[in-house]
Amino acid sequence: MTAEAQPADPIDPGDPTDPVDPRPIERQVDLGTARLLPDLDRPRGWLLTMDDAPQSYVDLDNPLHLEFEYVQRLAHAADLAAPPGRPLDVLHLGGGALTLPRYLAATRPGSHQRVVELDAALIALVREQLPWTPSPGGAEVRIEVHAADARAALAASPDGSADLLVADVFGGSRIPAQLTSVEFVREAARTLRADGLYAANLADGAPLDFARSQLATVTAVFPEVCLVAEPSVLRGRRYGNLVILAGRQPFPVADLARRTAADPFPARVVHGDRLDLLRGKARPVTDATAAPSPAPPDGAFNLGS
């Protein structure tokens, strides 16, 4: 991976007027087995899994419907990153079925979004089955999707080019080691504008050693950091998602806490002294010491075969 590596040309988003086949689809993609499963309760709702791990959920008729709790938390952060409706320049590391880019295209029309996804065959499947352009006559959707390595694409991104940077990269069910280090987070900080927001989706379980190390890593770079997760995950009672938000400027933590507390599965926002207590004696991760996130325990997703 080098700074000179450039993302490929943007992927054709497909034709939204093409009919969508409502049957389950299974396909071998570059990094595993992808499955698209129709939602029986939503005529145009689809669950994307990779090797039976839930990856994305998209409702083609309603981009504001966010099925996964961690995506709801990322959306809350995006809503609070700037005044309502203001277009943003966004870099998404990790694409999946483009749930959050579709949401931002609907809530912040005119935003320029660049999505980096390593699995070119997965992009092709999503483009074919779940195209991301609006219907004819709809609002402009500026989503560019590139097949590229996330770390290399970030290194090649211009300084101060993003208002929001979302890191949501999983190789199967684990975050690659090269996306967990302080060097990676410094590249993210370089890419953000002075008031930009970094948002990272993690997954961990008891004793939360990985989450603590990531808190130490992010707080080594950004002065303002908070963590969002369900209380049961924070107490180590179950494996689940944790969202880290960070920036150079204070973030409206109280507003975020109100929003997450009102979610169907309420989450807690941890910051300040409580964040320091949670981080404990964990030390920042470097490229030399980085390791992938821990594998989920057996039965964590219960999707079957």
Side-chain angles (χ1 to χ4, degrees):
M1 295 175 292
T2 66
E4 289 75 26
Q6 295 292 333
D9 291 336
I11 305 296
D12 184 338
D15 186 349
T17 64
D18 288 343
V20 176
D21 190 332
R23 295 172 296 180
I25 298 165
E26 181 175 312
R27 187 174 299 177
Q28 289 300 123
V29 292
D30 296 338
L31 301 179
T33 301
R35 300 172 72 195
L36 285 173
L37 307 174
D39 186 341
L40 299 180
D41 296 323
R42 288 181 172 268
R44 302 246 292 169
W46 290 88
L47 172 67
L48 168 66
T49 70
M50 282 292 296
D51 295 332
D52 288 330
Q55 216 279 348
S56 301
Y57 181 98
V58 167
D59 185 336
L60 294 177
D61 290 333
N62 181 12
L64 303 185
H65 176 75
L66 305 174
E67 188 78 9
F68 292 171
E69 290 86 0
Y70 85 86
V71 181
Q72 294 167 12
R73 291 158 201 157
L74 289 171
H76 291 323
D79 289 344
L80 295 170
R86 195 188 89 184
L88 298 177
D89 291 323
V90 187
L91 175 59
H92 301 265
L93 301 179
L98 310 185
T99 308
L100 191 62
R102 298 173 200 257
Y103 174 87
L104 282 165
T107 57
R108 296 183 179 275
S111 293
H112 178 214
Q113 302 188 72
R114 187 160 63 96
V115 180
V116 178
E117 167 61 55
L118 180 61
D119 195 323
L122 177 61
I123 296 173
L125 173 63
V126 172
R127 178 194 58 76
E128 173 189 313
Q129 299 295 328
L130 311 174
W132 56 86
T133 54
S135 57
E140 179 187 13
V141 176
R142 300 175 64 196
I143 301 175
E144 299 176 2
V145 182
H146 304 268
D149 174 84
R151 180 79 180 257
L154 179 61
S157 297
D159 293 358
S161 57
D163 300 301
L164 173 64
L165 194 158
V166 180
D168 186 14
V169 181
F170 284 78
S173 57
R174 305 180 72 180
I175 302 171
Q178 66 267 28
L179 306 183
T180 67
S181 69
V182 70
E183 290 90 344
F184 168 76
V185 179
R186 285 174 184 151
E187 284 293 289
R190 177 191 60 78
T191 302
L192 285 168
R193 296 187 173 118
D195 60 349
L197 180 66
Y198 174 72
N201 176 41
L202 316 176
D204 199 8
L208 296 179
D209 287 342
F210 177 74
R212 297 178 206 277
S213 73
Q214 288 305 288
L215 283 175
T217 300
V218 174
T219 55
V221 177
F222 288 104
E224 300 289 337
V225 181
C226 68
L227 178 75
V228 188
E230 289 182 35
S232 60
V233 176
L234 290 170
R235 296 187 185 113
R237 293 178 180 172
R238 70 175 184 87
Y239 177 92
N241 293 92
L242 308 96
V243 171
I244 292 180
L245 304 175
R248 299 181 182 91
Q249 306 295 329
F251 188 73
V253 173
D255 288 344
L256 178 65
R258 282 192 289 270
R259 290 174 182 240
T260 59
D263 282 340
F265 292 91
R268 180 179 300 166
V269 178
V270 184
H271 66 103
D273 292 342
R274 291 185 176 181
L275 190 75
D276 294 338
L277 184 63
L278 178 62
R279 184 180 67 230
K281 296 181 180 180
R283 298 182 62 82
V285 175
T286 67
D287 281 342
T289 61
S293 63
D298 292 342
F301 304 121
N302 294 320
L303 287 179
S305 59

